[in-house]
């Protein structure tokens, strides 16, 4: 092949790359208030993936407020033709603003409305808009009983009606809520690989074999995610049944009467137990379960939680740790936690910024994300690697 032919082929490849790039648009990431830290981390990983240490994928935006509390969104740079990804943590309770000269903390409603304002400010100039909302807005209000609002479904429809193409979320409380937008992109992400990796990194002597470890679901609602871990780790599984009092409502929900263990033939004695759930809000449910599991003779108890809200404080978790009832709680950094919580001896933060960067990079390039959503091969490789290391010891 002569020099002219080689130059022609190189030019054709460059043109093809430019055409492919124009299909998905220039990448832009908007980190809403409260997401600045993880936004910077994602930006660093994207630089690494794109082999450009000087690139900046973060789009400058702001949501200033008037003294009456009203707000507006401003996009501080051009976004025409961009492929925009918006990061929004509706449950960051540390963000404040001034209203009538008093400090007000942003509620989930405030965060969500700022997200809507930001999409409106894009003004249809972006080529594609994706929203990454780790914990769905009003995700616990996902089904309707009698005369109740259906906030989660309504918010999804509003986002789609405003032009959002893809919605990415972690461990939705009720995955079927995506049926509210059946013709739009909706990806439910489980941080299973990151959780297992963090367990191996923080517990040196953990052995994930059937004679040494066991998966227990804290209730029937969490059974599907616990079944996944049971399958990929090849561990036995048991569950608790949550009995509620449906004759009355306390703080917006039916109070729990008891947790009944449904694995009476399952031997818990002397085993490391892993419990997986989507959220710790008040902590009543998980603390009740771990207490019973501890009384059954479990060696150690580890909890995997996607969203650690700890809305009722951490005093009871401190007490459970001091009494040896609970050993570690692994929580993703998908939602905000105060430094006080992060520094607890029982708390272990699971970083998902690299995972999000990989998802953003793949979607922006119109690549499949199936293997990222179901990392079964990476989990098996991780488990085999740890097994070999332990055998050498």
């Amino acid at each position: 092949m002569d020099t002219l032919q080689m130059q022609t082929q190189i030019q054709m490849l460059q043109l093809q790359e430019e055409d492919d790039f124009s299909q998905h648009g220039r990448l832009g990431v908007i980190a809403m208030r409260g997401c600045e830290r993880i936004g910077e981390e994602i930006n660093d990983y994207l630089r690494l993936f794109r082999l450009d240490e000087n690139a900046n994928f973060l789009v400058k935006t702001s949501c200033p407020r008037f003294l009456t509390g009203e707000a507006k969104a401003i996009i501080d740079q051009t976004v025409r033709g961009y492929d925009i990804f918006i990061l929004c943590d509706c449950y960051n309770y540390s963000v404040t603003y001034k209203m009538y000269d008093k400090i007000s903390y942003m509620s989930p409603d405030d965060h969500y409305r700022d997200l809507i304002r930001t999409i409106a400010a894009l003004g249809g100039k972006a080529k594609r808009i994706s929203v990454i909302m780790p914990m769905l807005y009003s995700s616990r209000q996902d089904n309707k009983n009698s005369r109740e609002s259906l906030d989660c479904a309504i918010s999804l429809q509003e986002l789609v009606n405003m032009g959002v193409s893809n919605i990415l979320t972690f461990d939705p409380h009720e995955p079927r809520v995506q049926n509210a937008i059946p013709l739009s992109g909706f990806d439910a992400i489980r941080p299973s690989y990151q959780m297992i990796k963090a367990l191996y990194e923080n517990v040196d002597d953990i052995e994930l074999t059937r004679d040494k470890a066991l998966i227990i679901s804290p209730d029937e609602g969490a059974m599907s995610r616990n079944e996944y871990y049971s399958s990929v780790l090849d561990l036995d599984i048991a569950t608790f049944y949550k009995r509620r009092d449906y004759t009355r409502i306390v703080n917006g929900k039916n109070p729990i009467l008891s947790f009944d263990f449904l694995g009476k033939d399952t031997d818990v004695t002397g085993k490391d137990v892993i419990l997986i759930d989507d959220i710790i809000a008040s902590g009543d449910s998980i603390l009740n379960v771990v207490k019973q599991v501890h009384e059954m003779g479990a060696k150690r108890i580890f909890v995997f939680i996607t969203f650690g809200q700890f809305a009722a404080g951490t005093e009871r978790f401190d007490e459970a740790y001091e009494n040896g009832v609970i050993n570690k709680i692994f929580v993703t950094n998908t939602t905000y936690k105060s430094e006080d919580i992060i520094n607890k001896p029982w708390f272990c933060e699971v970083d998902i910024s690299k995972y999000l960067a990989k998802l953003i990079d793949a979607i922006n390039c119109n690549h499949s994300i199936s293997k990222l959503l179901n990392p079964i091969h990476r989990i098996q490789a991780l488990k085999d690697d740890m097994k070999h290391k332990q055998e050498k010891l």
Side-chain angles (χ1 to χ4, degrees):
M1 184 181 294
D2 59 29
T3 305
L4 181 61
Q5 286 178 317
M6 289 180 64
Q7 289 177 345
T8 303
Q9 282 202 355
I10 292 172
Q11 288 174 353
M12 289 178 65
L13 287 171
Q14 288 174 342
L15 288 171
Q16 185 179 350
E17 289 177 359
E18 289 174 3
D19 288 341
D20 290 342
F21 186 75
S22 67
Q23 289 175 8
H24 48 69
R26 185 175 179 180
L27 176 58
V29 178
I30 296 177
M32 301 294 295
R33 289 192 69 192
C35 294
E36 294 87 353
R37 176 184 168 188
I38 194 169
E40 289 288 351
E41 292 172 354
I42 289 172
N43 191 43
D44 289 340
Y45 280 117
L46 289 171
R47 286 192 186 115
L48 183 64
F49 300 158
R50 300 290 173 94
L51 303 177
D52 187 352
E53 62 180 16
N54 296 317
N56 180 28
F57 300 98
L58 292 174
V59 176
K60 295 180 181 179
T61 63
S62 59
C63 284
R65 289 181 178 266
F66 302 98
L67 286 178
T68 54
E70 300 163 286
K72 63 179 178 181
I74 302 173
I75 310 295
D76 295 322
Q77 66 177 73
T78 181
V79 290
R80 188 177 296 277
Y82 274 55
D83 191 8
I84 294 291
F85 292 80
I86 308 177
L87 297 166
C88 181
D89 178 9
C90 287
Y91 297 87
N92 189 323
Y93 53 89
S94 70
V95 183
T96 62
Y97 62 92
K98 266 196 172 184
M99 184 169 68
Y100 291 97
D101 207 32
K102 293 182 180 178
I103 298 296
S104 296
Y105 286 88
M106 288 186 69
S107 69
D109 291 350
D110 292 324
H111 284 291
Y112 176 71
R113 293 318 304 177
D114 275 0
L115 170 63
I116 295 298
R117 292 181 180 104
T118 300
I119 296 171
L122 292 171
K125 303 300 188 298
K127 191 165 190 178
R128 183 170 61 178
I129 302 173
S130 300
V131 169
I132 301 175
M133 190 184 294
M135 185 173 175
L136 278 180
Y137 171 70
S138 290
S139 58
R140 301 175 76 191
Q141 185 53 29
D142 51 33
N143 61 79
K144 186 172 183 177
N145 296 305
S146 186
R147 294 177 295 277
E148 290 183 348
S149 58
L150 198 56
D151 298 51
C152 190
I154 291 172
S155 67
L156 292 178
Q157 291 175 348
E158 184 176 16
L159 290 172
V160 169
N161 290 337
M162 293 195 70
V164 174
S165 302
N166 304 303
I167 297 172
L168 289 84
T169 187
F170 281 78
D171 248 341
H173 194 67
E174 173 50 79
R176 288 176 295 183
V177 75
Q178 66 184 289
N179 293 337
I181 49 170
L183 301 180
S184 300
F186 184 99
D187 290 301
I189 310 163
R190 287 181 178 173
S192 47
Y193 173 77
Q194 288 74 19
M195 286 289 191
I196 297 168
K197 184 179 179 181
L199 177 64
Y200 277 127
E201 290 176 345
N202 289 274
V203 186
D204 296 332
D205 61 341
I206 189 72
E207 294 183 61
L208 298 180
T209 57
R210 291 198 174 199
D211 60 327
K212 298 289 182 66
L214 175 69
I215 301 288
I216 296 182
S217 176
D219 57 43
E220 66 281 7
M223 194 62 183
S224 63
R225 62 178 64 91
N226 281 267
E227 283 177 335
Y228 180 82
Y229 282 88
S230 171
S231 175
V232 298
L233 294 175
D234 192 27
L235 297 177
D236 290 327
I237 186 172
T239 186
F240 280 84
Y241 173 68
K242 187 189 296 183
R243 290 201 305 118
R244 291 185 178 273
D245 182 359
Y246 290 99
T247 64
R248 58 197 179 99
I249 296 177
V250 178
N251 294 328
K253 58 185 179 181
N254 301 104
I256 299 169
L257 296 176
S258 67
F259 285 88
D260 301 324
F261 187 59
L262 301 184
K264 293 183 179 179
D265 296 330
T266 304
D267 186 14
V268 180
T269 307
K271 291 183 179 180
D272 288 328
V273 173
I274 303 172
L275 296 99
I276 302 107
D277 211 349
D278 60 333
I279 183 173
I280 287 179
S282 65
D284 291 341
S285 297
I286 203 70
L287 286 169
N288 199 323
V289 169
V290 296
K291 181 181 178 182
Q292 291 192 52
V293 173
H294 178 71
E295 291 171 353
M296 292 177 194
K299 178 184 175 183
R300 293 177 297 189
I301 300 174
F302 305 105
V303 182
F304 291 176
I305 295 293
T306 309
F307 312 113
Q309 304 306 101
F310 302 101
T314 60
E315 290 80 7
R316 290 179 298 165
F317 291 94
D318 294 336
E319 183 181 351
Y321 174 77
E322 290 167 4
N323 294 333
V325 175
I326 202 165
N327 294 84
K328 282 282 185 184
I329 302 180
F330 295 85
V331 185
T332 67
N333 61 340
T334 49
T335 55
Y336 170 78
K337 267 82 61 182
S338 67
E339 289 296 324
D340 179 58
I341 294 174
I342 292 173
N343 292 327
K344 295 291 183 182
W346 45 262
F347 182 91
C348 182
E349 187 172 68
V350 179
D351 185 16
I352 50 84
S353 56
K354 185 176 182 180
Y355 188 22
L356 280 178
K358 285 184 175 181
L359 288 164
I360 291 171
D361 184 53
I363 294 171
N364 177 238
C365 295
N366 289 328
H367 293 165
S368 172
I369 61 172
S370 298
K371 290 183 179 179
L372 289 171
L373 294 178
N374 185 16
I376 182 170
H377 298 297
R378 297 181 69 197
I379 293 173
Q380 292 295 339
L382 176 64
K383 187 179 178 182
D384 292 341
D385 184 49
M386 293 305 301
K387 182 180 179 182
H388 294 323
K389 288 181 179 179
Q390 290 169 348
E391 287 174 350
K392 289 181 180 179
L393 295 175

